[in-house]
Amino acid sequence: MTAYTKKEVLLEARNIFLSYGNKCILHDINFNIRDIVRPGMLQGQVVSLVGRSGIGKTQLFRVLSGLQKPSSGQIMIRERKPTLSAAGTIEVNHERPVHAGDMGVIFQNYYQFEWRTVKQSLMLAARQNPALKGKEEDTILHYASQFDIPDILHHYPKQLSGGQQQRVSIIQQLLKGSDFLLLDEPFSGLDICVLDKVVELLLQVSLSDELKTLIIVSHDIATAVAISDTVFILGKKVGQEGSTIVREIDLIERGLAWQRAVRREKAFEDTLDEINACL
Ligand SMILES: Nc1ncnc2c1ncn2[C@@H]1O[C@H](COP(=O)(O)OP(=O)(O)O)[C@@H](O)[C@H]1O
Ligand SMILES: [Mg+2]
């Protein structure tokens, strides 16, 4: 099996509860995401949160990203901060509660301001990232070519296909430079060729930085499992209102992470059956 270690906690969900009025949506959500380190590689994390429709995935997505305050509990994230020391500038990590805006968030309906061209929207995102100062334009051109959309930079959102809008949204969030990228149902509504391309791009993104962490919320279980190192299943416990994490599956231990041809493995089929039985 591939050598790896799991290091510091990058994100921790601590006892999350969410209710609207007296309707419980989420209860007792506890899990963490650790930094996975592989010798000689930049290996990010790809985590999927799966469950059937209406189970509360989007609600949990909103809580994780800091956009929705839970009724109780906390989402803690590890932050890298450049700090001045005697030895020069070093990166210090510390843990703090998530705030709205900390994570790159890609919603299901890739909303873009319709009066801005793709390039103008991307430029606004790039300017939010101090690390790109003076390199905004070059970085945009680099991503546009990597994501295969160099020709649409001067187009307006309504001139784009669904797949192009999604790629623009992903680039927009990557430009902001946050370690976490959250995607709600990134595989729905894409035709099969575009789907393969998106999977490939997300894998590339996850390999671009040691701490890059993708959290994919999806009801497309096969694609989610094929791309992830860890799967959390959101489901129901007998006799309890609302949803919680009913199982965590470590795909690395099963030899199902980081392989292109994973769908051909017997263990892959078994894992899908196991997940379906929990839904
Ligand atoms: N503002 C709200 N008030 C009451 N219930 C809500 C509200 N928003 C969402 N819900 C409920 O939360 C549940 C989970 O929805 P959602 O997270 O969108 O599911 P999923 O993304 O898994 O399909 C649904 O039953 C929905 O009706
Ligand atoms: Mg949803």
Side-chain angles (χ1 to χ4, degrees):
M1 196 206 284
T2 331
Y4 72 96
T5 35
K6 286 193 176 180
K7 301 249 180 185
E8 301 94 309
V9 171
L10 302 177
L11 179 145
E12 184 181 5
R14 285 188 190 159
N15 232 15
I16 300 294
F17 282 72
L18 178 70
S19 313
Y20 290 112
N22 52 16
K23 183 181 173 199
C24 171
I25 309 282
L26 302 171
H27 67 89
D28 303 284
I29 306 258
N30 289 289
F31 65 86
N32 58 45
I33 300 175
R34 289 177 178 275
D35 180 14
I36 295 166
V37 178
R38 291 169 78 187
M41 276 194 79
L42 282 180
Q43 179 68 57
Q45 295 57 239
V46 185
V47 172
S48 289
L49 192 71
V50 301
R52 57 183 165 75
S53 208
I55 200 83
K57 298 184 300 297
T58 296
Q59 293 299 314
L60 182 53
F61 172 93
R62 292 175 49 79
V63 169
L64 288 173
S65 63
L67 296 171
Q68 168 73 52
K69 201 173 139 37
S71 307
S72 64
Q74 251 181 344
I75 302 295
M76 302 297 290
I77 55 169
R78 195 177 77 161
E79 183 181 48
R80 301 191 257 193
K81 259 208 165 138
T83 305
L84 218 50
S85 78
T89 309
I90 51 162
E91 271 190 355
V92 174
N93 297 315
H94 72 122
E95 197 193 42
R96 66 163 174 79
V98 73
H99 304 307
D102 283 338
M103 299 188 180
V105 176
I106 296 152
F107 296 100
Q108 209 172 341
N109 44 353
Y110 322 104
Y111 182 77
Q112 301 286 342
F113 289 109
E114 59 183 62
W115 61 88
R116 284 192 193 123
T117 65
V118 169
K119 188 156 177 201
Q120 288 165 339
S121 290
L122 295 180
M123 201 47 116
L124 280 173
R127 290 204 182 108
Q128 289 176 37
N129 183 352
L132 293 183
K133 199 160 176 54
K135 299 182 285 194
E136 293 91 345
E137 172 114 23
D138 286 349
T139 312
I140 289 171
L141 295 178
H142 164 76
Y143 279 129
S145 118
Q146 187 190 6
F147 281 66
D148 210 14
I149 53 162
D151 312 333
I152 58 152
L153 286 175
H154 297 289
H155 289 193
Y156 289 90
K158 61 172 181 289
Q159 298 172 284
L160 310 180
S161 71
Q164 289 172 329
Q165 290 193 31
Q166 182 186 42
R167 276 174 275 170
V168 171
S169 294
I170 296 174
I171 297 175
Q172 196 173 25
Q173 298 307 319
L174 286 175
L175 288 167
K176 292 183 188 169
S178 51
D179 290 339
F180 294 92
L181 202 60
L182 259 85
L183 301 105
D184 195 4
E185 302 287 359
F187 315 124
S188 64
L190 301 177
D191 66 55
I192 189 77
C193 309
V194 180
L195 177 68
D196 286 346
K197 181 101 193 152
V198 169
V199 165
E200 201 49 47
L201 285 171
L202 292 178
L203 287 173
Q204 272 184 43
V205 168
S206 78
L207 295 173
S208 65
D209 188 300
E210 185 60 52
L211 292 182
K212 206 49 111 186
T213 303
L214 268 52
I215 304 178
I216 295 170
V217 172
S218 182
H219 70 270
D220 177 346
I221 293 156
T223 308
V225 171
I227 194 179
S228 303
D229 55 70
T230 310
V231 177
F232 293 102
I233 306 175
L234 194 63
K236 299 225 180 261
K237 291 214 162 141
V238 181
Q240 286 212 35
E241 199 198 359
S243 309
T244 193
I245 304 291
V246 291
R247 191 165 301 183
E248 171 176 351
I249 298 181
D250 184 332
L251 296 169
I252 312 173
E253 276 178 7
R254 296 185 182 198
L256 295 176
W258 314 318
Q259 299 191 39
R260 289 292 193 267
V262 70
R263 287 169 189 267
R264 291 193 212 122
E265 303 272 327
K266 169 83 168 63
F268 180 80
E269 288 298 327
D270 293 346
T271 299
L272 294 190
D273 289 344
E274 179 185 340
I275 294 173
N276 280 313
C278 292
L279 299 180

